[in-house]
Amino acid sequence: MYSEIIDFLTQHWQLSSIFIVMLVVYIVFELKYATPDNYKISPQQVVNMYNHQQAALVDIRSKEAYQQGHIIGALHLLPTELPTKLKKLKKFSKKPVIIICDTGRESPKFANQLAKEHGFENVLLLMGGMQAWFAADLPVTNEK
């Protein structure tokens, strides 16, 4: 069995090399941008943290999506605007900061940037993003 694998790898070394490179890239990407599950919170936990711990809500969706409906009290901040609007967030650096995107897939990179590059201590993600918020039938507003 092992000899067949070795034979295949040596006969198809280019395919094997591409596979190994892609595997390494995937692992590096996952390690760099993966967020542990304990940093993902449910919509109900967001409500609790906002009400009882004065958590900051940061909505990183597009301007159009934000204007169509966002969580009451959420600050709109595109990831590209972080360097220019960091002062607005600095006052929350010791409090929970909850990052909100559309599906929960875009927010880990932004959360890692806040935590690792800018020293935010408690960065959390809305698990499932605004889609989960809408599914939980929680209130939204389209006011600024």
Side-chain angles (χ1 to χ4, degrees), residues 12-71:
H12 303 285
W13 65 270
Q14 292 133 335
L15 279 176
S16 303
S17 299
I18 291 171
F19 174 75
I20 291 170
V21 168
M22 294 302 290
L23 183 63
V24 168
V25 167
Y26 175 76
I27 291 170
V28 167
F29 180 80
E30 284 298 314
L31 290 175
K32 186 173 182 180
Y33 296 113
T35 305
D37 287 337
N38 59 334
Y39 292 113
K40 297 176 183 176
I41 60 175
S42 70
Q44 292 76 16
Q45 289 172 303
V46 170
V47 171
N48 186 36
M49 292 184 86
Y50 182 75
N51 290 335
H52 300 290
Q53 296 180 30
Q54 293 78 41
L57 307 176
V58 180
D59 192 323
I60 63 168
R61 296 176 301 145
S62 70
K63 183 177 180 180
E64 295 79 22
Y66 180 82
Q67 289 173 342
Q68 287 177 357
H70 57 273
I71 300 172

Side-chain angles (χ1 to χ4, degrees), residues 62-144:
S62 70
K63 183 177 180 180
E64 295 79 22
Y66 180 82
Q67 289 173 342
Q68 287 177 357
H70 57 273
I71 300 172
I72 298 167
L75 171 69
H76 184 244
L77 179 67
L78 294 173
T80 56
E81 298 175 323
L82 180 60
T84 58
K85 294 190 177 179
L86 187 60
K87 279 189 176 182
K88 277 187 174 182
L89 285 180
K90 275 295 186 184
K91 62 184 173 185
F92 300 109
S93 63
K94 304 269 189 236
K95 293 185 178 186
V97 177
I98 302 167
I99 309 301
I100 303 157
C101 65
D102 191 42
T103 62
R105 292 185 178 155
E106 299 87 15
S107 53
K109 182 177 179 182
F110 186 80
N112 282 335
Q113 188 177 10
L114 277 181
K116 292 178 181 174
E117 295 177 21
H118 300 290
F120 283 75
E121 296 177 4
N122 192 6
V123 182
L124 305 163
L125 308 174
L126 172 57
M127 184 172 31
M130 281 303 289
Q131 288 183 4
W133 188 268
F134 291 130
D137 201 29
L138 291 166
V140 295
T141 184
N142 56 5
E143 296 177 7
K144 280 192 170 184

